[in-house]
Amino acid sequence: MKKTVIYGASFTAFILIACQPTAQKAAVSEKKEEEKKIQVKKEKKKNLAERFKIALANQDKWQKACSNPDQIVPKGIDVETFRKEMMATVKFPEGGVIGKDIKRGEKLFGDPDKGGRSRRGNCYACHCGDPRILACGNIGPSLRGYAKRGIDPKDTYIRIYNSWAIVPCSVMPRLGYHGVLTPEEIADIVAYMHDPESPLNK
Amino acid sequence: MKEKKYLVGIIAGGSFLVAAVTAQEQTPSHLQELLELGMHPGHAYVDEGRELFNTMKGPNGKTCASCHGEDGSKNLEGAYARMPRYYTDIGKVADLDLRILSCMTQYMGFDPKDKKFRKEFDKWSGKYRVPLATFVASLSNGMEINVQIDDPQEEEMYKKGEKLWFMRVGARDFSCGICHSVLAGKRIRLQGLPDPVKAKVYTHWPAYRFGNDRMWTMEDRVRSCFRAYFLFEKKWNEKSDWVKKPPPYSDWVIALELYMKHAANGGVIEVPGLLR
């Protein structure tokens, strides 16, 4: 923040001191910048087929294993090994698995001000929880009263970071593993879920 | 102020509940009522498409009707029931959208690289694609879906579709199959998850969706479902690295369409459909 201010100030000074031609040069390079941006945008569009192909090729070996009609661990792959490999991917935040920002955790779980929506966490797509959120799915079990179940917060953390460490091939996305949520964000969700005062548990 | 908010909440909550109850049915009851009153908003698209079909001239002066007869009477009745299929003139397996695009560029003089034309064709709200597709599809109403897999290209496409249907991929580990085969009948938020393979939903596509007040072709439907995957090129990043949809008319889309439509063989076409 501070850096930008200084940079901005010195930039203004530069403009003030600079004579006409330099200003023109700046305008030209700005135009070039703009053209470059358009070019990048074009590339992106042109290569949508290429990008989509790469995106599919990014399938990891565990996803591949689950890509059968039953969407389960197929015969020939040991479930315990699968779990262990998934467990090994779990990274824990420095401050511990219970974060400090409960409000942020709630927003990531599903923002009550937006009817429970949250693009990245999106827990209400599959779970019910806060009784005020009626638009909730029934794909996973209800998480209402979750804190009263005596579950170790560390297990909650692992479940959200990489659900396949517990249920391989589960429909529940591996949100930490893929970097959709950061370890700190997951810790805040855990804090929200285990807080006895949270609407989830009241 | 606070009280007002609460009230709105209750009202919104109420309609949510109604939606939840109707989510599982094929045609929700309030839409069924509209149908019975003859108020199907999709019919405007059929009319618009028919008008275009008979009168819209390409740069070379031809209309669709020049080759396919007035209202498609010469050879398009029942055509949609057999699509997607392999066409020798374009050398590939095409769905309805690609077939119409190919006719316009190959036979009517439209330039496939002309941006203005492509915008009007590709875009949801554009003039050409959706109305024409809806009209052509309606020429197969009352007929059974009858997709054959006999050309080697069709076979390859079908296999590709089947594989893609079950392919877990992207930052959300999804596949078409996990939502639509394994979880069919469950509720994602309030939307009931249909099984497009077992339930032969293809009989009601293209469909008008009340949710966003628009007609959708199956291209639009399949491509939109890919948004949920969070596909990425390098490392998932919502802002800079989200590969939202496959390109339109691409093999990925057509392969999935072929897979689903083949599964719907025997189902009786009744379009445009009407969805929540």
mmCIF file of all heavy atoms in Angstrom, chain A residues 49 51-52 55-56 58-59 63 67 69 71 116-117 119 125 135-138 164 169-170 174 178, chain B residues 13 166-168 170-173 175 178 182-183 186-189 231-233 236 238 246-247 252:
data_model
loop_
_atom_site.group_PDB
_atom_site.id
_atom_site.type_symbol
_atom_site.label_atom_id
_atom_site.label_comp_id
_atom_site.label_asym_id
_atom_site.label_seq_id
_atom_site.Cartn_x
_atom_site.Cartn_y
_atom_site.Cartn_z
ATOM 1 N N ALA A 49 -9.661 -24.109 -27.148
ATOM 2 C CA ALA A 49 -9.609 -25.555 -27.367
ATOM 3 C C ALA A 49 -8.339 -26.128 -26.738
ATOM 4 O O ALA A 49 -8.374 -27.156 -26.059
ATOM 5 C CB ALA A 49 -9.653 -25.879 -28.857
ATOM 6 N N ARG A 51 -6.562 -24.779 -24.328
ATOM 7 C CA ARG A 51 -6.641 -24.651 -22.864
ATOM 8 C C ARG A 51 -7.541 -25.740 -22.275
ATOM 9 O O ARG A 51 -7.240 -26.314 -21.235
ATOM 10 C CB ARG A 51 -7.168 -23.280 -22.471
ATOM 11 C CG ARG A 51 -6.252 -22.136 -22.855
ATOM 12 C CD ARG A 51 -6.842 -20.811 -22.428
ATOM 13 N NE ARG A 51 -6.773 -20.654 -20.984
ATOM 14 C CZ ARG A 51 -7.732 -20.124 -20.243
ATOM 15 N NH1 ARG A 51 -8.833 -19.691 -20.802
ATOM 16 N NH2 ARG A 51 -7.596 -20.021 -18.941
ATOM 17 N N PHE A 52 -8.630 -26.016 -22.963
ATOM 18 C CA PHE A 52 -9.549 -27.031 -22.446
ATOM 19 C C PHE A 52 -8.892 -28.408 -22.458
ATOM 20 O O PHE A 52 -9.038 -29.196 -21.521
ATOM 21 C CB PHE A 52 -10.841 -27.035 -23.261
ATOM 22 C CG PHE A 52 -11.938 -27.809 -22.596
ATOM 23 C CD1 PHE A 52 -12.670 -27.249 -21.566
ATOM 24 C CD2 PHE A 52 -12.229 -29.110 -22.974
ATOM 25 C CE1 PHE A 52 -13.659 -27.968 -20.920
ATOM 26 C CE2 PHE A 52 -13.226 -29.838 -22.341
ATOM 27 C CZ PHE A 52 -13.939 -29.260 -21.321
ATOM 28 N N ALA A 55 -6.593 -28.572 -19.615
ATOM 29 C CA ALA A 55 -7.359 -28.689 -18.369
ATOM 30 C C ALA A 55 -7.778 -30.143 -18.125
ATOM 31 O O ALA A 55 -7.699 -30.645 -16.996
ATOM 32 C CB ALA A 55 -8.576 -27.772 -18.405
ATOM 33 N N LEU A 56 -8.206 -30.827 -19.183
ATOM 34 C CA LEU A 56 -8.600 -32.234 -19.019
ATOM 35 C C LEU A 56 -7.378 -33.107 -18.738
ATOM 36 O O LEU A 56 -7.438 -34.052 -17.949
ATOM 37 C CB LEU A 56 -9.313 -32.755 -20.265
ATOM 38 C CG LEU A 56 -10.697 -32.198 -20.596
ATOM 39 C CD1 LEU A 56 -11.300 -32.964 -21.763
ATOM 40 C CD2 LEU A 56 -11.648 -32.245 -19.411
ATOM 41 N N ASN A 58 -4.940 -32.346 -17.074
ATOM 42 C CA ASN A 58 -4.488 -32.142 -15.694
ATOM 43 C C ASN A 58 -5.085 -33.144 -14.716
ATOM 44 O O ASN A 58 -4.793 -33.096 -13.520
ATOM 45 C CB ASN A 58 -4.863 -30.732 -15.213
ATOM 46 C CG ASN A 58 -3.924 -29.686 -15.765
ATOM 47 O OD1 ASN A 58 -2.791 -30.009 -16.114
ATOM 48 N ND2 ASN A 58 -4.370 -28.450 -15.859
ATOM 49 N N GLN A 59 -5.928 -34.014 -15.196
ATOM 50 C CA GLN A 59 -6.514 -35.028 -14.315
ATOM 51 C C GLN A 59 -5.391 -35.748 -13.563
ATOM 52 O O GLN A 59 -4.410 -36.181 -14.170
ATOM 53 C CB GLN A 59 -7.295 -36.032 -15.172
ATOM 54 C CG GLN A 59 -8.042 -37.060 -14.338
ATOM 55 C CD GLN A 59 -8.589 -38.192 -15.197
ATOM 56 O OE1 GLN A 59 -7.895 -38.749 -16.030
ATOM 57 N NE2 GLN A 59 -9.830 -38.543 -14.964
ATOM 58 N N GLN A 63 -7.908 -39.016 -9.450
ATOM 59 C CA GLN A 63 -9.146 -38.718 -10.193
ATOM 60 C C GLN A 63 -9.364 -39.783 -11.260
ATOM 61 O O GLN A 63 -10.482 -40.246 -11.471
ATOM 62 C CB GLN A 63 -9.042 -37.334 -10.863
ATOM 63 C CG GLN A 63 -9.120 -36.175 -9.896
ATOM 64 C CD GLN A 63 -8.926 -34.821 -10.581
ATOM 65 O OE1 GLN A 63 -8.145 -34.696 -11.517
ATOM 66 N NE2 GLN A 63 -9.620 -33.810 -10.118
ATOM 67 N N SER A 67 -12.599 -42.529 -12.014
ATOM 68 C CA SER A 67 -13.402 -42.241 -13.207
ATOM 69 C C SER A 67 -14.050 -43.478 -13.808
ATOM 70 O O SER A 67 -13.983 -43.697 -15.013
ATOM 71 C CB SER A 67 -12.527 -41.547 -14.257
ATOM 72 O OG SER A 67 -12.057 -40.319 -13.770
ATOM 73 N N PRO A 69 -17.712 -46.092 -13.932
ATOM 74 C CA PRO A 69 -19.163 -45.867 -13.825
ATOM 75 C C PRO A 69 -19.688 -45.799 -12.385
ATOM 76 O O PRO A 69 -20.660 -45.099 -12.122
ATOM 77 C CB PRO A 69 -19.760 -47.062 -14.570
ATOM 78 C CG PRO A 69 -18.722 -47.413 -15.587
ATOM 79 C CD PRO A 69 -17.401 -47.140 -14.921
ATOM 80 N N GLN A 71 -17.896 -44.640 -9.869
ATOM 81 C CA GLN A 71 -17.211 -43.512 -9.247
ATOM 82 C C GLN A 71 -16.697 -43.881 -7.846
ATOM 83 O O GLN A 71 -16.848 -43.124 -6.884
ATOM 84 C CB GLN A 71 -18.137 -42.290 -9.173
ATOM 85 C CG GLN A 71 -18.770 -41.937 -10.527
ATOM 86 C CD GLN A 71 -17.917 -40.993 -11.367
ATOM 87 O OE1 GLN A 71 -17.731 -39.852 -11.021
ATOM 88 N NE2 GLN A 71 -17.407 -41.494 -12.480
ATOM 89 N N GLY A 116 -26.556 -17.900 1.801
ATOM 90 C CA GLY A 116 -25.731 -19.095 2.011
ATOM 91 C C GLY A 116 -24.780 -19.382 0.865
ATOM 92 O O GLY A 116 -24.135 -20.423 0.824
ATOM 93 N N ARG A 117 -24.693 -18.457 -0.063
ATOM 94 C CA ARG A 117 -23.791 -18.705 -1.198
ATOM 95 C C ARG A 117 -22.353 -18.391 -0.841
ATOM 96 O O ARG A 117 -22.064 -17.575 0.022
ATOM 97 C CB ARG A 117 -24.194 -17.843 -2.398
ATOM 98 C CG ARG A 117 -25.482 -18.327 -2.968
ATOM 99 C CD ARG A 117 -25.840 -17.732 -4.302
ATOM 100 N NE ARG A 117 -27.124 -18.288 -4.674
ATOM 101 C CZ ARG A 117 -27.264 -19.420 -5.350
ATOM 102 N NH1 ARG A 117 -26.213 -20.071 -5.771
ATOM 103 N NH2 ARG A 117 -28.455 -19.898 -5.601
ATOM 104 N N ARG A 119 -18.777 -18.864 -3.460
ATOM 105 C CA ARG A 119 -18.358 -19.569 -4.660
ATOM 106 C C ARG A 119 -17.352 -20.686 -4.354
ATOM 107 O O ARG A 119 -17.463 -21.794 -4.833
ATOM 108 C CB ARG A 119 -17.770 -18.593 -5.673
ATOM 109 C CG ARG A 119 -17.299 -19.413 -6.819
ATOM 110 C CD ARG A 119 -17.085 -18.852 -8.172
ATOM 111 N NE ARG A 119 -17.096 -17.490 -8.445
ATOM 112 C CZ ARG A 119 -17.945 -16.939 -9.313
ATOM 113 N NH1 ARG A 119 -18.860 -17.692 -9.876
ATOM 114 N NH2 ARG A 119 -17.862 -15.665 -9.581
ATOM 115 N N ALA A 125 -24.190 -26.194 -1.023
ATOM 116 C CA ALA A 125 -24.596 -26.928 -2.229
ATOM 117 C C ALA A 125 -24.946 -28.361 -1.838
ATOM 118 O O ALA A 125 -25.867 -28.955 -2.379
ATOM 119 C CB ALA A 125 -23.481 -26.910 -3.259
ATOM 120 N N ALA A 135 -31.898 -22.865 1.417
ATOM 121 C CA ALA A 135 -31.444 -23.390 0.121
ATOM 122 C C ALA A 135 -30.201 -24.241 0.332
ATOM 123 O O ALA A 135 -29.089 -23.808 0.094
ATOM 124 C CB ALA A 135 -31.156 -22.254 -0.840
ATOM 125 N N CYS A 136 -30.413 -25.458 0.828
ATOM 126 C CA CYS A 136 -29.261 -26.315 1.109
ATOM 127 C C CYS A 136 -29.474 -27.698 0.514
ATOM 128 O O CYS A 136 -30.600 -28.177 0.419
ATOM 129 C CB CYS A 136 -29.031 -26.414 2.618
ATOM 130 S SG CYS A 136 -30.428 -27.026 3.571
ATOM 131 N N GLY A 137 -28.393 -28.322 0.091
ATOM 132 C CA GLY A 137 -28.495 -29.618 -0.577
ATOM 133 C C GLY A 137 -28.543 -30.790 0.397
ATOM 134 O O GLY A 137 -28.283 -30.640 1.586
ATOM 135 N N ASN A 138 -28.882 -31.961 -0.122
ATOM 136 C CA ASN A 138 -28.919 -33.159 0.725
ATOM 137 C C ASN A 138 -27.976 -34.239 0.207
ATOM 138 O O ASN A 138 -28.213 -35.418 0.367
ATOM 139 C CB ASN A 138 -30.351 -33.690 0.852
ATOM 140 C CG ASN A 138 -30.915 -34.160 -0.491
ATOM 141 O OD1 ASN A 138 -30.248 -34.033 -1.516
ATOM 142 N ND2 ASN A 138 -32.102 -34.688 -0.479
ATOM 143 N N TRP A 164 -10.802 -36.939 0.369
ATOM 144 C CA TRP A 164 -10.470 -38.285 -0.110
ATOM 145 C C TRP A 164 -9.506 -38.996 0.834
ATOM 146 O O TRP A 164 -9.275 -40.199 0.685
ATOM 147 C CB TRP A 164 -9.899 -38.235 -1.531
ATOM 148 C CG TRP A 164 -10.930 -37.869 -2.560
ATOM 149 C CD1 TRP A 164 -12.209 -37.436 -2.325
ATOM 150 C CD2 TRP A 164 -10.788 -37.902 -3.982
ATOM 151 N NE1 TRP A 164 -12.859 -37.193 -3.514
ATOM 152 C CE2 TRP A 164 -12.024 -37.466 -4.547
ATOM 153 C CE3 TRP A 164 -9.760 -38.253 -4.852
ATOM 154 C CZ2 TRP A 164 -12.236 -37.375 -5.933
ATOM 155 C CZ3 TRP A 164 -9.973 -38.163 -6.233
ATOM 156 C CH2 TRP A 164 -11.201 -37.732 -6.761
ATOM 157 N N CYS A 169 -12.564 -40.996 -3.498
ATOM 158 C CA CYS A 169 -13.506 -40.822 -4.611
ATOM 159 C C CYS A 169 -14.819 -40.145 -4.208
ATOM 160 O O CYS A 169 -15.755 -40.090 -5.008
ATOM 161 C CB CYS A 169 -13.831 -42.130 -5.330
ATOM 162 S SG CYS A 169 -12.416 -42.971 -6.047
ATOM 163 N N SER A 170 -14.904 -39.647 -2.970
ATOM 164 C CA SER A 170 -16.118 -38.966 -2.539
ATOM 165 C C SER A 170 -16.470 -37.836 -3.483
ATOM 166 O O SER A 170 -15.604 -37.275 -4.160
ATOM 167 C CB SER A 170 -15.922 -38.381 -1.137
ATOM 168 O OG SER A 170 -16.939 -37.443 -0.849
ATOM 169 N N ARG A 174 -11.910 -31.894 -2.988
ATOM 170 C CA ARG A 174 -10.705 -31.752 -2.159
ATOM 171 C C ARG A 174 -10.238 -30.299 -2.251
ATOM 172 O O ARG A 174 -9.332 -29.965 -2.993
ATOM 173 C CB ARG A 174 -9.621 -32.708 -2.664
ATOM 174 C CG ARG A 174 -10.003 -34.171 -2.595
ATOM 175 C CD ARG A 174 -9.002 -35.042 -3.316
ATOM 176 N NE ARG A 174 -9.028 -34.853 -4.761
ATOM 177 C CZ ARG A 174 -8.084 -35.269 -5.590
ATOM 178 N NH1 ARG A 174 -7.025 -35.896 -5.121
ATOM 179 N NH2 ARG A 174 -8.189 -35.060 -6.885
ATOM 180 N N HIS A 178 -6.535 -28.862 -3.882
ATOM 181 C CA HIS A 178 -6.488 -28.168 -5.167
ATOM 182 C C HIS A 178 -6.183 -26.678 -5.026
ATOM 183 O O HIS A 178 -6.087 -25.966 -6.021
ATOM 184 C CB HIS A 178 -7.827 -28.302 -5.902
ATOM 185 C CG HIS A 178 -8.073 -29.661 -6.483
ATOM 186 N ND1 HIS A 178 -7.288 -30.205 -7.466
ATOM 187 C CD2 HIS A 178 -9.021 -30.592 -6.207
ATOM 188 C CE1 HIS A 178 -7.750 -31.413 -7.789
ATOM 189 N NE2 HIS A 178 -8.792 -31.668 -7.033
ATOM 190 N N GLY B 13 -37.870 -17.265 1.767
ATOM 191 C CA GLY B 13 -37.763 -18.624 2.298
ATOM 192 C C GLY B 13 -38.929 -19.475 1.852
ATOM 193 O O GLY B 13 -38.775 -20.622 1.470
ATOM 194 N N PHE B 166 -17.850 -39.930 -17.330
ATOM 195 C CA PHE B 166 -17.421 -40.428 -16.015
ATOM 196 C C PHE B 166 -16.090 -39.829 -15.556
ATOM 197 O O PHE B 166 -15.581 -40.192 -14.510
ATOM 198 C CB PHE B 166 -17.311 -41.946 -16.046
ATOM 199 C CG PHE B 166 -18.638 -42.629 -16.185
ATOM 200 C CD1 PHE B 166 -18.963 -43.340 -17.324
ATOM 201 C CD2 PHE B 166 -19.574 -42.553 -15.157
ATOM 202 C CE1 PHE B 166 -20.201 -43.965 -17.449
ATOM 203 C CE2 PHE B 166 -20.807 -43.174 -15.272
ATOM 204 C CZ PHE B 166 -21.124 -43.886 -16.422
ATOM 205 N N MET B 167 -15.523 -38.935 -16.326
ATOM 206 C CA MET B 167 -14.181 -38.440 -16.036
ATOM 207 C C MET B 167 -14.168 -37.423 -14.891
ATOM 208 O O MET B 167 -14.727 -36.344 -14.993
ATOM 209 C CB MET B 167 -13.611 -37.783 -17.300
ATOM 210 C CG MET B 167 -12.213 -37.266 -17.114
ATOM 211 S SD MET B 167 -11.600 -36.644 -18.698
ATOM 212 C CE MET B 167 -9.939 -36.190 -18.231
ATOM 213 N N ARG B 168 -13.511 -37.813 -13.792
ATOM 214 C CA ARG B 168 -13.365 -36.883 -12.661
ATOM 215 C C ARG B 168 -12.184 -35.978 -12.971
ATOM 216 O O ARG B 168 -11.077 -36.451 -13.234
ATOM 217 C CB ARG B 168 -13.075 -37.669 -11.368
ATOM 218 C CG ARG B 168 -14.109 -38.725 -11.033
ATOM 219 C CD ARG B 168 -15.410 -38.155 -10.539
ATOM 220 N NE ARG B 168 -15.323 -37.536 -9.236
ATOM 221 C CZ ARG B 168 -15.526 -38.147 -8.088
ATOM 222 N NH1 ARG B 168 -15.770 -39.435 -8.053
ATOM 223 N NH2 ARG B 168 -15.471 -37.480 -6.950
ATOM 224 N N GLY B 170 -10.623 -31.508 -12.709
ATOM 225 C CA GLY B 170 -10.808 -30.130 -12.263
ATOM 226 C C GLY B 170 -10.636 -29.986 -10.760
ATOM 227 O O GLY B 170 -10.502 -30.968 -10.038
ATOM 228 N N ALA B 171 -10.646 -28.744 -10.297
ATOM 229 C CA ALA B 171 -10.374 -28.471 -8.887
ATOM 230 C C ALA B 171 -11.530 -28.875 -7.975
ATOM 231 O O ALA B 171 -11.447 -28.752 -6.756
ATOM 232 C CB ALA B 171 -10.040 -26.996 -8.693
ATOM 233 N N ARG B 172 -12.630 -29.336 -8.561
ATOM 234 C CA ARG B 172 -13.712 -29.819 -7.718
ATOM 235 C C ARG B 172 -13.931 -31.322 -7.858
ATOM 236 O O ARG B 172 -14.902 -31.870 -7.315
ATOM 237 C CB ARG B 172 -15.002 -29.065 -8.034
ATOM 238 C CG ARG B 172 -15.071 -27.686 -7.378
ATOM 239 C CD ARG B 172 -16.502 -27.423 -7.042
ATOM 240 N NE ARG B 172 -16.782 -26.115 -6.513
ATOM 241 C CZ ARG B 172 -17.587 -25.221 -7.108
ATOM 242 N NH1 ARG B 172 -18.112 -25.511 -8.275
ATOM 243 N NH2 ARG B 172 -17.855 -24.078 -6.535
ATOM 244 N N ASP B 173 -13.071 -31.986 -8.587
ATOM 245 C CA ASP B 173 -13.145 -33.445 -8.708
ATOM 246 C C ASP B 173 -14.487 -33.944 -9.241
ATOM 247 O O ASP B 173 -14.922 -35.050 -8.919
ATOM 248 C CB ASP B 173 -12.871 -34.112 -7.347
ATOM 249 C CG ASP B 173 -11.513 -33.758 -6.783
ATOM 250 O OD1 ASP B 173 -10.533 -33.875 -7.523
ATOM 251 O OD2 ASP B 173 -11.422 -33.346 -5.605
ATOM 252 N N SER B 175 -17.508 -34.957 -12.154
ATOM 253 C CA SER B 175 -17.729 -35.558 -13.466
ATOM 254 C C SER B 175 -19.210 -35.406 -13.741
ATOM 255 O O SER B 175 -19.979 -35.170 -12.806
ATOM 256 C CB SER B 175 -17.369 -37.046 -13.441
ATOM 257 O OG SER B 175 -18.298 -37.761 -12.659
ATOM 258 N N ILE B 178 -20.927 -38.125 -11.658
ATOM 259 C CA ILE B 178 -21.086 -38.058 -10.199
ATOM 260 C C ILE B 178 -22.368 -37.287 -9.863
ATOM 261 O O ILE B 178 -23.133 -37.679 -9.000
ATOM 262 C CB ILE B 178 -19.847 -37.468 -9.476
ATOM 263 C CG1 ILE B 178 -19.913 -37.780 -7.977
ATOM 264 C CG2 ILE B 178 -19.702 -35.977 -9.660
ATOM 265 C CD1 ILE B 178 -19.136 -38.944 -7.545
ATOM 266 N N VAL B 182 -24.590 -40.965 -10.168
ATOM 267 C CA VAL B 182 -24.469 -41.401 -8.782
ATOM 268 C C VAL B 182 -25.439 -40.637 -7.865
ATOM 269 O O VAL B 182 -26.101 -41.215 -7.019
ATOM 270 C CB VAL B 182 -23.017 -41.225 -8.285
ATOM 271 C CG1 VAL B 182 -22.895 -41.581 -6.821
ATOM 272 C CG2 VAL B 182 -22.067 -42.078 -9.118
ATOM 273 N N LEU B 183 -25.517 -39.318 -8.052
ATOM 274 C CA LEU B 183 -26.331 -38.514 -7.134
ATOM 275 C C LEU B 183 -27.724 -38.207 -7.674
ATOM 276 O O LEU B 183 -28.449 -37.404 -7.098
ATOM 277 C CB LEU B 183 -25.622 -37.190 -6.838
ATOM 278 C CG LEU B 183 -24.261 -37.286 -6.149
ATOM 279 C CD1 LEU B 183 -23.612 -35.922 -6.073
ATOM 280 C CD2 LEU B 183 -24.410 -37.872 -4.756
ATOM 281 N N LYS B 186 -30.929 -36.628 -5.897
ATOM 282 C CA LYS B 186 -30.586 -35.794 -4.740
ATOM 283 C C LYS B 186 -30.739 -34.334 -5.122
ATOM 284 O O LYS B 186 -31.012 -33.991 -6.272
ATOM 285 C CB LYS B 186 -29.149 -36.074 -4.322
ATOM 286 C CG LYS B 186 -28.951 -37.472 -3.800
ATOM 287 C CD LYS B 186 -28.655 -37.421 -2.324
ATOM 288 C CE LYS B 186 -28.302 -38.807 -1.834
ATOM 289 N NZ LYS B 186 -28.242 -38.870 -0.396
ATOM 290 N N ARG B 187 -30.506 -33.478 -4.144
ATOM 291 C CA ARG B 187 -30.675 -32.050 -4.332
ATOM 292 C C ARG B 187 -29.332 -31.352 -4.177
ATOM 293 O O ARG B 187 -28.693 -31.469 -3.138
ATOM 294 C CB ARG B 187 -31.587 -31.553 -3.230
ATOM 295 C CG ARG B 187 -32.767 -30.754 -3.673
ATOM 296 C CD ARG B 187 -33.659 -30.428 -2.497
ATOM 297 N NE ARG B 187 -32.925 -29.982 -1.337
ATOM 298 C CZ ARG B 187 -33.129 -30.447 -0.102
ATOM 299 N NH1 ARG B 187 -34.015 -31.374 0.134
ATOM 300 N NH2 ARG B 187 -32.432 -29.972 0.892
ATOM 301 N N ILE B 188 -28.900 -30.616 -5.170
ATOM 302 C CA ILE B 188 -27.738 -29.769 -5.017
ATOM 303 C C ILE B 188 -28.313 -28.384 -4.792
ATOM 304 O O ILE B 188 -28.999 -27.853 -5.642
ATOM 305 C CB ILE B 188 -26.761 -29.862 -6.202
ATOM 306 C CG1 ILE B 188 -25.441 -29.197 -5.875
ATOM 307 C CG2 ILE B 188 -27.310 -29.373 -7.502
ATOM 308 C CD1 ILE B 188 -24.252 -29.740 -6.676
ATOM 309 N N ARG B 189 -28.086 -27.818 -3.589
ATOM 310 C CA ARG B 189 -28.872 -26.678 -3.130
ATOM 311 C C ARG B 189 -30.335 -27.041 -3.285
ATOM 312 O O ARG B 189 -30.765 -28.018 -2.729
ATOM 313 C CB ARG B 189 -28.513 -25.423 -3.900
ATOM 314 C CG ARG B 189 -27.318 -24.758 -3.312
ATOM 315 C CD ARG B 189 -27.068 -23.399 -3.872
ATOM 316 N NE ARG B 189 -26.160 -22.751 -2.941
ATOM 317 C CZ ARG B 189 -26.545 -21.886 -2.040
ATOM 318 N NH1 ARG B 189 -27.809 -21.521 -1.972
ATOM 319 N NH2 ARG B 189 -25.690 -21.375 -1.195
ATOM 320 N N LEU B 231 -12.300 -26.081 -13.826
ATOM 321 C CA LEU B 231 -11.159 -26.563 -14.611
ATOM 322 C C LEU B 231 -10.092 -25.481 -14.668
ATOM 323 O O LEU B 231 -10.399 -24.293 -14.669
ATOM 324 C CB LEU B 231 -11.604 -26.919 -16.029
ATOM 325 C CG LEU B 231 -12.474 -28.159 -16.160
ATOM 326 C CD1 LEU B 231 -13.076 -28.247 -17.549
ATOM 327 C CD2 LEU B 231 -11.669 -29.417 -15.856
ATOM 328 N N PHE B 232 -8.838 -25.900 -14.709
ATOM 329 C CA PHE B 232 -7.741 -24.927 -14.713
ATOM 330 C C PHE B 232 -6.637 -25.412 -15.633
ATOM 331 O O PHE B 232 -6.539 -26.601 -15.949
ATOM 332 C CB PHE B 232 -7.201 -24.741 -13.293
ATOM 333 C CG PHE B 232 -6.744 -26.027 -12.670
ATOM 334 C CD1 PHE B 232 -5.433 -26.462 -12.819
ATOM 335 C CD2 PHE B 232 -7.622 -26.828 -11.954
ATOM 336 C CE1 PHE B 232 -5.017 -27.663 -12.261
ATOM 337 C CE2 PHE B 232 -7.213 -28.026 -11.392
ATOM 338 C CZ PHE B 232 -5.902 -28.455 -11.547
ATOM 339 N N GLU B 233 -5.793 -24.432 -16.039
ATOM 340 C CA GLU B 233 -4.722 -24.778 -16.965
ATOM 341 C C GLU B 233 -3.434 -25.082 -16.201
ATOM 342 O O GLU B 233 -2.780 -26.082 -16.450
ATOM 343 C CB GLU B 233 -4.515 -23.621 -17.935
ATOM 344 C CG GLU B 233 -3.827 -24.027 -19.205
ATOM 345 C CD GLU B 233 -3.650 -22.848 -20.145
ATOM 346 O OE1 GLU B 233 -4.468 -21.911 -20.131
ATOM 347 O OE2 GLU B 233 -2.661 -22.853 -20.893
ATOM 348 N N TRP B 236 -5.266 -23.919 -10.066
ATOM 349 C CA TRP B 236 -6.560 -23.284 -9.914
ATOM 350 C C TRP B 236 -6.432 -21.850 -9.405
ATOM 351 O O TRP B 236 -5.815 -21.587 -8.380
ATOM 352 C CB TRP B 236 -7.456 -24.082 -8.961
ATOM 353 C CG TRP B 236 -8.628 -23.262 -8.529
ATOM 354 C CD1 TRP B 236 -8.863 -22.720 -7.306
ATOM 355 C CD2 TRP B 236 -9.740 -22.865 -9.352
ATOM 356 N NE1 TRP B 236 -10.040 -22.003 -7.317
ATOM 357 C CE2 TRP B 236 -10.595 -22.070 -8.563
ATOM 358 C CE3 TRP B 236 -10.083 -23.083 -10.688
ATOM 359 C CZ2 TRP B 236 -11.766 -21.506 -9.045
ATOM 360 C CZ3 TRP B 236 -11.262 -22.516 -11.179
ATOM 361 C CH2 TRP B 236 -12.082 -21.751 -10.359
ATOM 362 N N GLU B 238 -9.300 -18.596 -9.549
ATOM 363 C CA GLU B 238 -10.587 -18.157 -10.062
ATOM 364 C C GLU B 238 -10.434 -17.006 -11.054
ATOM 365 O O GLU B 238 -11.134 -16.940 -12.064
ATOM 366 C CB GLU B 238 -11.449 -17.736 -8.881
ATOM 367 C CG GLU B 238 -12.850 -17.356 -9.276
ATOM 368 C CD GLU B 238 -13.694 -16.943 -8.077
ATOM 369 O OE1 GLU B 238 -13.284 -17.230 -6.933
ATOM 370 O OE2 GLU B 238 -14.747 -16.331 -8.303
ATOM 371 N N PRO B 246 -15.888 -25.670 -22.435
ATOM 372 C CA PRO B 246 -15.251 -26.098 -23.683
ATOM 373 C C PRO B 246 -15.697 -25.163 -24.806
ATOM 374 O O PRO B 246 -16.737 -24.525 -24.684
ATOM 375 C CB PRO B 246 -15.792 -27.514 -23.898
ATOM 376 C CG PRO B 246 -17.065 -27.571 -23.128
ATOM 377 C CD PRO B 246 -16.950 -26.592 -22.005
ATOM 378 N N PRO B 247 -14.925 -25.094 -25.897
ATOM 379 C CA PRO B 247 -15.352 -24.238 -27.000
ATOM 380 C C PRO B 247 -16.672 -24.748 -27.576
ATOM 381 O O PRO B 247 -16.950 -25.946 -27.536
ATOM 382 C CB PRO B 247 -14.236 -24.391 -28.035
ATOM 383 C CG PRO B 247 -13.165 -25.193 -27.411
ATOM 384 C CD PRO B 247 -13.686 -25.828 -26.184
ATOM 385 N N TRP B 252 -15.784 -32.297 -27.682
ATOM 386 C CA TRP B 252 -16.128 -32.659 -26.305
ATOM 387 C C TRP B 252 -17.628 -32.535 -26.075
ATOM 388 O O TRP B 252 -18.255 -33.396 -25.476
ATOM 389 C CB TRP B 252 -15.375 -31.762 -25.321
ATOM 390 C CG TRP B 252 -13.900 -31.949 -25.372
ATOM 391 C CD1 TRP B 252 -13.204 -33.068 -25.015
ATOM 392 C CD2 TRP B 252 -12.915 -31.010 -25.830
ATOM 393 N NE1 TRP B 252 -11.855 -32.871 -25.214
ATOM 394 C CE2 TRP B 252 -11.651 -31.627 -25.701
ATOM 395 C CE3 TRP B 252 -12.976 -29.700 -26.316
ATOM 396 C CZ2 TRP B 252 -10.463 -30.975 -26.052
ATOM 397 C CZ3 TRP B 252 -11.805 -29.057 -26.666
ATOM 398 C CH2 TRP B 252 -10.557 -29.683 -26.536
#
